[in-house]
Structure formats: C-alpha cells, structure tokens
C-alpha cells in the first residue's frame, strides 16, 4: 500500500485535470454571469441608432424639353359663349442618371433612445428567478460531478488496495 497514493491526493489532482469538472465549473461561471445580466434588466438603457439609404429607379424621369402645341378648347365663357383655350405643351423625358438619383434619393436618420424599465410586466423579476434557478442547477451539477469523481476514485483505490493485499 506504500505504492498507492491516498484517494484524497488523487481526487485533488483530478479536480484540476478532469474535463467534466472543468466543464461543470465553466457552466457555473456562465450561470452566475447570466444572473448578473438578468439583474441588469433593472437598469435603464441608452442606445444610439442611425441609418443612411438611397435608391435608383429606371422609372425616374426628368424633363429634357418642352415644345408648345396647338391650344386645346377647355370650355366657353358664360356670357358670349366664346371658346376658351388652354395652351398645350409636349414634353420629352429621359431617365435620370444613376449618380444624380443616388445623391437626390438619400434618406438619413439619427436617433438616441432611452429605455427606462418601469412597467415591464414582471419580465425582469421572472428573468432573475429563472437565472437563479439556472445558477442553482449549475452548482448542483458541479457538486454531483465532483461527488461522482470522488466515488470513482474511492472505488478504484479500494479495488487497487484489495488487489495489492491479494
């Protein structure tokens, strides 16, 4: 039995090397951070938003020329019944250039938003309770993983000791 290390020494060494233990410890750290984040729901938040956009359309036209046409009758005077004419014009169009449309169609917006969690339908409290449950489950999982490791080491030590004594 002088060749065998004490189970406590083996267990302490295994705590720092076993991936299952490390995984459970990291999950516990994550659950604790999740609880801190849930408490952050009580804090107001300030956000800054902005946007810029533009567009092009082949249907966007500009007038390139105006040509007078014959006047067209639009009605009669009330007393002498003379015909009233409106001047007529013919227009020629072309599609606006891409660069011009990109400049002219700019849309810009900017905003600062403050959100104060006054009435949030108990969402923050529910989130905190859920995060506490997750933290407690992670603590229990770590403890269970450590207990399982200790049990495995104790069993292996007992089996080795029995084999040496035989």
């Amino acid at each position: 039995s002088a060749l065998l290390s004490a189970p406590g020494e083996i267990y302490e060494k295994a705590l720092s090397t076993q991936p299952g233990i490390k995984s459970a410890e990291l999950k516990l750290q994550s659950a604790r951070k999740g609880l801190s984040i849930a408490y952050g729901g009580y804090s107001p938040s300030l956000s800054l938003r902005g946007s810029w956009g533009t567009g092009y359309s082949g249907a966007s036209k500009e007038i390139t020329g105006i040509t007078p046409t014959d006047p067209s009758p639009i009605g009669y005077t009330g007393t002498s019944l003379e015909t009233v004419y409106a001047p007529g014009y013919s227009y020629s169009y072309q599609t606006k250039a891409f660069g011009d449309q990109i400049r002219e169609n700019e849309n810009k917006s900017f905003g600062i938003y403050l959100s104060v969690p006054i009435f949030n339908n108990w969402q923050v409290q529910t989130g905190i309770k859920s995060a506490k449950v997750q933290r407690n489950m992670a603590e229990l999982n770590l403890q269970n993983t450590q207990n399982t490791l200790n049990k495995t080491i104790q069993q292996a030590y007992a089996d080795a000791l029995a084999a040496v004594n035989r």
Side-chain angles (χ1 to χ4, degrees):
S1 73
L3 297 174
L4 295 176
S5 296
E9 293 174 21
I10 297 169
Y11 175 70
E12 289 303 318
K13 179 71 175 169
L15 282 178
S16 63
T17 59
Q18 289 297 305
I21 299 293
K22 285 294 177 191
S23 173
E25 288 172 349
L26 291 173
K27 286 177 183 173
L28 177 57
Q29 286 178 5
S30 175
R32 287 179 177 154
K33 289 290 183 191
L35 181 57
S36 296
I37 290 168
Y39 273 111
Y42 283 127
S43 302
S45 64
L46 183 66
S47 60
L48 175 68
R49 297 180 193 160
S51 70
W52 177 87
T54 188
Y56 170 81
S57 171
S60 181
K61 306 284 185 190
E62 62 185 346
I63 297 173
T64 57
I66 302 173
T67 308
T69 60
D70 292 332
S72 51
I74 60 170
Y76 300 96
T77 61
T79 55
S80 63
L81 296 177
E82 291 181 45
T83 304
V84 177
Y85 293 93
Y89 299 98
S90 175
Y91 301 94
S92 56
Y93 302 94
Q94 74 177 22
T95 302
K96 280 188 177 183
F98 179 81
D100 292 340
Q101 284 194 47
I102 294 297
R103 276 191 306 279
E104 292 172 5
N105 295 338
E106 282 185 325
N107 298 311
K108 301 172 195 169
S109 71
F110 176 78
I112 297 175
Y113 302 89
L114 175 65
S115 174
V116 181
I118 296 172
F119 302 109
N120 56 12
N121 297 328
W122 304 100
Q123 291 173 347
V124 173
Q125 293 87 342
T126 303
I128 289 171
K129 287 178 183 176
S130 176
K132 283 181 179 178
V133 168
Q134 293 298 323
R135 183 204 53 202
N136 292 345
M137 287 175 56
E139 287 173 348
L140 292 173
N141 183 48
L142 174 60
Q143 185 64 48
N144 187 41
T145 305
Q146 289 171 340
N147 290 346
T148 301
L149 176 63
N150 193 21
K151 177 185 170 194
T152 302
I153 290 170
Q154 292 289 345
Q155 184 64 49
Y157 181 80
D159 291 347
L161 195 58
V164 167
N165 288 338
R166 253 187 272 145

